[in-house]
Amino acid sequence: MIRRGDVVGMPTETVYGLAGAAHDEMALTRIFGVKARPSFDPLIIHVSPGLLAKTGAPHALEALGKLKLVDVSALSGDAEKMVRALMDRFWPGPLTLILPKMPHVPDLATSGLPTVAIRMPLHPVAQALIDESGQPLAAPSANRFGRISPTEAMHVEKELGGRVEIILDGGPCAIGLESSVVSVNPLLLLRPGSISQSQLSEVISQALGKPTPVERATSHMVALSKAAQKSPGMLESHYSPKKPFGVFKSAGDFTVPHFSKWARGSVETLGLLLWSRQSHATALEYFKKYGGDPAKVLCLTETNDVAEAARNLFAMLRTLDDEADVDHIWAEPCPKDLAVEGLGYAIADRLARAAGPSQN
Ligand code: TXA
Ligand code: MG
């Protein structure tokens, strides 16, 4: 199917993707069409250990050159050292690297950028699909543009079913949040994921033999950096439920400016996404004041575990979004001490984007 330009729902360890042949314009056009994705949003190209090994190249970087994806000659010095070290340490896994592209990569895949995003997923079904196809696969998250990423095959079926002929069911995603996206030139974390800034900095510092912190692409830098500007994972509004959605200011504090006013009378249609089971009693007590129990309450983690919360985040947001009795959703953010880095920071990032810029 991949070879004749079709697209396939593909499980990965982060979220489900919608995969098609990376060098095939027809497949790329179908991906954008199925997702209703604007063409200014570039795709991530997925490779497997088997596909790279088949090139006979000595290192993943040269293999990406042989696969006509990455212009290896455009990388040298520190940037090259960083890329090799990051691939050696984090591939296969949830790290996407922004690299100089070969002219063979269709502009559609990169939105005309001079760079291409590459990732090697860890999920055995994703690797098998790439191996079987015998070529790199472009795959964005398998949701409609701007919506919540799918972490189960059923989510893809519900959102894109009918538009995709085959969805491979690889079970629920082990991580549940999209990969960390890193550019090396300039060195920036463009999208936070489970691989943290300190893990990235440690590997890079060791490779260069000098302390080299990885900066986050803040909105200020996004304005300055062309690469980041073109990374819609950085858009302020993304990953959004259909229903009105807000995030409380901090964990354990359910007061929101004006909340008491608009919640009056509507608390019974409120869908609550709590950080942990520990918040349950406090939250219910709090909302009693406003006329009863919320329509539905879900807890991201039973025991304050960020990995569990990350796995549950998108699925629970979807459940609340699909629940007939719920007409607005509020989420308790991750506790501040957990939100500084890695998954906790990535969860905070997704919640803020799901709420969109209008919240502030
Ligand atoms: O975990 C993941 O990365 C999942 C799974 C399916 O692999 N894929 C995923 O793809 O999240 P997508 O298309 O939803 O997000 C890709 C992100 C976007 O924010 C896009 O703008 C950015 O990567 N990106 C792609 N190419 C880029 C480039 N050349 N420069 C900067 N950002 C780029
Ligand atoms: Mg996406």
Side-chain angles (χ1 to χ4, degrees):
M1 286 189 64
I2 294 278
R3 284 189 219 110
R4 58 163 209 252
D6 277 335
V7 295
V8 172
M10 170 179 81
T12 84
E13 71 280 17
T14 57
V15 301
Y16 274 73
L18 182 64
H23 289 103
D24 179 346
E25 303 245 2
M26 194 174 89
L28 299 175
T29 305
R30 281 211 62 200
I31 290 175
F32 280 95
V34 169
K35 271 195 64 124
R37 181 175 174 122
S39 60
F40 63 75
D41 191 359
L43 305 174
I44 295 175
I45 295 181
H46 295 64
V47 295
S48 65
L51 185 66
L52 299 198
K54 252 178 44 194
T55 65
H59 188 270
L61 184 57
E62 279 72 29
L64 293 175
K66 289 201 169 183
L67 288 168
K68 301 195 173 10
L69 292 171
V70 174
D71 181 0
V72 181
S73 70
L75 275 174
S76 59
D78 284 355
E80 182 184 344
K81 282 188 201 150
M82 286 190 242
V83 165
R84 288 186 193 276
L86 290 172
M87 287 173 175
D88 291 345
R89 171 69 180 78
F90 296 114
W91 278 11
L95 174 70
T96 295
L97 290 169
I98 307 298
L99 300 167
K101 78 161 195 129
M102 293 271 266
H104 309 76
V105 182
D107 276 343
L108 205 49
T110 63
S111 306
L113 290 172
T115 51
V116 57
I118 315 257
R119 156 164 143 73
M120 183 192 278
L122 186 61
H123 199 293
V125 176
Q127 293 190 0
L129 180 66
I130 299 164
D131 289 348
E132 196 58 35
S133 310
Q135 55 190 312
L137 300 183
S141 50
N143 50 282
R144 291 191 181 226
F145 184 69
R147 301 290 323 288
I148 304 166
S149 298
T151 55
E152 292 171 26
M154 189 47 78
H155 299 162
V156 185
E157 166 67 28
K158 276 197 181 148
E159 194 155 329
L160 303 177
R163 298 165 149 240
V164 186
E165 265 162 74
I166 291 187
I167 299 163
L168 299 172
D169 189 347
C173 299
I175 296 175
L177 292 184
E178 304 85 348
S179 59
S180 308
V181 179
V182 173
S183 85
V184 288
N185 199 9
L187 180 57
L188 282 176
L189 176 63
L190 297 180
R191 181 175 70 183
S194 61
I195 296 178
S196 70
Q197 263 171 293
S198 54
Q199 281 177 295
L200 294 163
S201 302
E202 194 187 314
V203 168
I204 292 172
S205 301
Q206 200 169 26
L208 301 188
K210 60 184 180 208
T212 313
V214 177
E215 305 275 336
R216 278 175 200 161
T218 61
S219 23
H220 174 65
M221 287 160 122
V222 171
L224 295 177
S225 152
K226 263 222 166 107
Q229 202 175 15
K230 298 268 182 141
S231 188
M234 299 290 298
L235 286 178
E236 280 185 7
S237 177
H238 216 64
Y239 316 108
S240 300
K242 287 177 249 165
K243 294 173 181 166
F245 176 73
V247 183
F248 298 112
K249 264 226 160 66
S250 62
D253 177 357
F254 303 102
T255 53
V256 167
H258 313 302
F259 184 77
S260 56
K261 220 190 275 165
W262 66 255
R264 196 168 295 138
S266 67
V267 70
E268 268 147 24
T269 60
L270 171 64
L272 258 191
L273 185 58
L274 296 178
W275 171 257
S276 81
R277 186 64 59 191
Q278 280 119 290
S279 325
H280 203 248
T282 331
L284 288 190
E285 190 61 31
Y286 181 84
F287 288 105
K288 278 248 151 35
K289 290 193 294 209
Y290 299 111
D293 289 334
K296 187 148 183 110
V297 184
L298 295 176
C299 301
L300 286 172
T301 144
E302 293 297 318
T303 58
N304 211 24
D305 171 356
V306 276
E308 184 190 4
R311 267 196 310 275
N312 286 330
L313 178 68
F314 288 146
M316 288 187 171
L317 268 179
R318 243 172 221 280
T319 303
L320 293 174
D321 213 15
D322 292 344
E323 181 77 34
D325 295 343
V326 169
D327 68 16
H328 55 131
I329 306 167
W330 277 80
E332 181 187 18
C334 182
K336 285 220 159 55
D337 58 326
L338 295 175
V340 284
E341 259 247 317
L343 275 177
Y345 176 65
I347 292 170
D349 168 81
R350 302 304 193 275
L351 281 176
R353 288 179 210 285
S358 58
Q359 211 204 355
N360 300 310

